[in-house]
Amino acid sequence: MWTPDKIRETVAADKVVLFTKGSRYQPMCGFSAKAIGILERLTDQFTVVNIFDDPSIRPALVAFSNWPTTPQLFIQGELIGGSDIMEELAAQGDLRRRLEQAQVPLR
């Protein structure tokens, strides 16, 4: 069972964690596919958590982040946002900088 504490542990365990609808190789919505694509252009060092793997993930995620939509990107435990925010940050170069600051190996 997922709880906000388990979400906290998950985002603390890896430098980059993306909660999505579907998996890294089979996203189940366009926004999740966009978010995965943005990250894959920058690095292969990220964890994907499929919110459909367990019905308790999504409510725990929303309770933890206070953000109602998916995908949700966390870098070093900090909520960055969803695919639209990721797209904007990537276009400005800020997403790359955040990954560099977190010492994530980049492409």
Side-chain angles (χ1 to χ4, degrees), residues 4-30:
D5 285 338
K6 185 168 179 180
I7 299 290
R8 183 177 293 104
E9 291 169 11
T10 301
V11 301
D14 291 312
K15 291 180 181 180
V16 182
V17 179
L18 182 66
F19 288 86
T20 65
K21 293 177 179 173
S23 69
R24 183 173 184 164
Y25 303 105
Q26 191 173 5
M28 298 175 111
C29 84

Side-chain angles (χ1 to χ4, degrees), residues 17-77:
V17 179
L18 182 66
F19 288 86
T20 65
K21 293 177 179 173
S23 69
R24 183 173 184 164
Y25 303 105
Q26 191 173 5
M28 298 175 111
C29 84
F31 295 111
S32 293
K34 184 193 315 186
I36 290 166
I38 290 167
L39 281 178
E40 285 185 335
R41 284 191 293 276
L42 295 170
T43 184
D44 62 355
Q45 301 292 308
F46 63 96
T47 298
V48 173
V49 178
N50 179 358
I51 66 165
F52 294 145
D53 282 347
D54 183 313
S56 65
I57 296 174
R58 186 176 187 287
L61 178 63
V62 170
F64 173 76
S65 68
N66 202 29
W67 188 274
T69 60
T70 307
Q72 291 185 25
L73 173 66
F74 292 82
I75 298 177
Q76 290 191 306

